[in-house]
Amino acid sequence: MSDRGKIALITGANKGIGLETARQLGKLGVTILVGARDLKKGEEAAEVLRGAGVDAQAIKLDVVSEADRTAAAKLIEQQYGRLDILINNAGVMLDARGGDSGGWPVNQTSSTSEKVLHDTFETNFFAVIALTQTLLPLLRKSPAGRIVNLSSILASQTLQATPGSPIYDAKTFAYDASKAALNSFTIHLAHELRDTKIKVNSGHPGWVKTEMGGEGAPMELVDGAITSVQLATLPDDAPTGGFFHMGEALPW
Ligand code: NAP
């Protein structure tokens, strides 16, 4: 199936990797629903996208709000009757990040507060599951449904536990654990849906210059969206239940 005419919902698409993913997917002819918790910011982003020739519409979607999730599903059902692509892109990193000379956050696992853990998991894990479950009936109506969960290389238990790995000293506990839990959701949902036309994958965008990634990040936005776009447009014979960066598998 060509990507032209597909319908995609991208959460947290008002800025950063989400907005750039919207631009690149939109350029392929995909209709973009710009999820944003602040509708005004979503409308501004949709306006920019339309200016670039993308068919874009803003949707008010605070992913932690059940009312917003339900309203988004209703709107998509009424306007399109199906959803082809869901990109769970919205995310937060709330860990204290007292920098050291190497630029890595200081490991503060032993003092990570219950609030930071709770709030991080609420957005990065519980909301993703709730939104995906709400939208699954619409994704099942697609001839080739694709679910992309924006994870992080910091979620890799293998690399976190291996001295000398590129992320061994990057220990933001709440964030890393929430994305590891998200990866578990990817594996479990992909298994349940393995005999359907829906593919579910986790992606690591790279360390990208955004508000979250910071100015010191080595990757530009334009490259940071490539993994999400690839996973959103996978052909029917592509894998499901994997963890990828730029087409390469990452260790769980
Ligand atoms: P960003 O620039 O900070 O953007 C995050 C987006 O998520 C914003 O649109 C933000 O909305 C939205 N968001 C946060 N909480 C939300 C909520 N409750 N409901 C709806 N939207 C919400 O971050 P980014 O770098 O583009 O990150 C995008 C994804 O990539 C995240 O899942 C992140 O964990 C992942 N990632 C990023 C990097 C990196 O280096 N940048 C590396 C690995 C993984 P507001 O504008 O309203 O705050």
Side-chain angles (χ1 to χ4, degrees), residues 1-235:
M1 179 185 176
S2 136
D3 296 310
R4 190 154 292 280
K6 287 184 180 174
I7 315 296
L9 171 64
I10 306 174
T11 65
N14 53 287
K15 70 179 181 199
I17 294 166
L19 177 55
E20 177 59 19
T21 303
R23 193 185 65 77
Q24 293 184 21
L25 258 190
K27 285 288 183 192
L28 298 176
V30 175
T31 293
I32 306 295
L33 304 175
V34 179
R37 57 179 159 181
D38 179 336
L39 184 58
K40 189 164 175 286
K41 286 186 190 169
E43 278 169 350
E44 284 165 8
E47 187 66 40
V48 169
L49 290 166
R50 285 194 292 271
V54 172
D55 181 17
Q57 172 187 348
I59 289 195
K60 156 113 175 68
L61 180 52
D62 183 335
V63 294
V64 305
S65 159
E66 185 180 356
D68 278 9
R69 294 191 298 260
T70 306
K74 200 169 166 193
L75 184 146
I76 298 168
E77 162 88 71
Q78 284 171 350
Q79 290 196 12
Y80 303 101
R82 70 172 202 285
L83 183 64
D84 300 302
I85 297 166
L86 169 62
I87 304 187
N88 287 309
N89 169 84
V92 292
M93 182 185 266
L94 304 175
D95 298 79
R97 292 170 78 184
D100 61 17
S101 54
W104 291 118
V106 176
N107 186 346
Q108 299 181 37
T109 305
S110 66
S111 55
T112 301
S113 70
E114 191 178 340
K115 177 164 173 47
V116 164
L117 272 168
H118 182 277
D119 291 354
T120 304
F121 269 75
E122 189 177 18
T123 301
N124 293 359
F125 181 63
F126 292 113
V128 174
I129 294 161
L131 180 65
T132 305
Q133 289 175 343
T134 301
L135 293 172
L136 210 48
L138 291 168
L139 285 154
R140 286 183 189 276
K141 292 184 182 168
S142 168
R146 301 287 179 262
I147 299 171
V148 183
N149 293 326
L150 266 282
S151 182
S152 167
I153 194 171
L154 298 178
S156 170
Q157 306 285 53
T158 304
L159 297 178
Q160 285 289 7
T162 304
S165 89
I167 55 134
Y168 184 64
D169 289 319
K171 292 214 164 21
T172 37
F173 174 54
Y175 179 82
D176 305 352
S178 71
K179 296 290 190 179
L182 177 66
N183 279 350
S184 179
F185 177 54
T186 295
I187 292 170
H188 283 73
L189 185 64
H191 177 270
E192 182 183 343
L193 299 178
R194 64 193 182 286
D195 295 326
T196 74
K197 291 173 178 167
I198 303 175
K199 293 187 190 302
V200 191
N201 288 290
S202 279
H204 165 56
W207 183 12
V208 186
K209 282 188 188 71
T210 64
E211 203 167 301
M212 184 187 292
E215 286 175 7
M219 273 176 76
E220 301 299 328
L221 258 186
V222 67
D223 297 318
I226 289 176
T227 297
S228 294
V229 173
Q230 280 179 349
L231 295 177
T233 56
L234 286 175

